[in-house]
Amino acid sequence: MRRALREAQKAEAQGEVPVGAVVVQGEKVIARGHNRPLGLSDPSAHAEILALRRAAKKLGNYRLKGCDLYVTIEPCAMCAGAIIQARLRRVVYGTPDPKAGACGSALAVLNHPKVNHQVEVVSGVLAEECAAILRQFFHKRRHKVSGAGRQVSGAKTRRPTKVRSGGQGPVTRPEPPVPSP
C-alpha cells in the first residue's frame, strides 16, 4: 500500500486527484498507476485502470489470475468492472469512498451474486494515510486563491433545483452562483 501511496503523490504533483494503485503477482510489483484523467484527457484513466493495463501488457494476457490490486481508495464501478474482467484474486484498498465506492460503500459491484467472478476484498489498509492525502488535496483545491486575492474554487453556489418534466422524472436545473460579498 505504501507504493500505491507513492503513486498517489505522483498524481497530486500533476494536479490530479491523488489516487495510486499497484498490481502485485506473488511478492513482486508488476505494474503501477496513478490518476491521469486530466493529463490524458481520458475519463477512464483512473489509477486502477492504468495499473491493470500495464500489468496485462507485461503478462501478455488481460486475465490477471493470481494477481492482487492495491489501491488507495475504494474502486468505483468502472474500475470494479475492469477488476472483474481481469479476474484479479484480491483487491486491497485504503479508504472507503462513500459517494462512488463499488466494493460496498455506495454500490456493491464486486462480489455481486450475479457476477461470474468473485474477488477477495480487504479494506482499511493504511486507511488514515490514504484518506489524509485526499483530504489535503481537496482542502487545498477549495481554498485556492487567485493572484487578485479572490477565491478561485469553492465559491458559494446554490444547490441545483429539481424540476419535474412531463412524466420523464426529475431534471436538474443548475442555479447561477451566489455572488460573494
Side-chain angles (χ1 to χ4, degrees), residues 20-33:
V22 295
V23 177
V24 176
Q25 186 178 49
E27 297 293 317
K28 184 179 178 189
V29 173
I30 61 168
R32 36 180 145 280

Side-chain angles (χ1 to χ4, degrees), residues 117-157:
H117 177 71
Q118 301 299 299
V119 181
E120 180 185 345
V121 177
V122 179
S123 62
V125 176
L126 298 180
E128 184 49 42
E129 290 176 56
C130 293
I133 192 170
L134 288 160
R135 264 194 316 271
Q136 292 163 2
F137 174 81
F138 287 112
H139 178 78
K140 287 177 200 171
R141 182 184 265 185
R142 281 190 300 274
H143 295 91
K144 193 179 227 177
V145 177
S146 72
R150 293 185 309 193
Q151 192 170 355
V152 174
S153 62
K156 293 179 185 175
T157 58

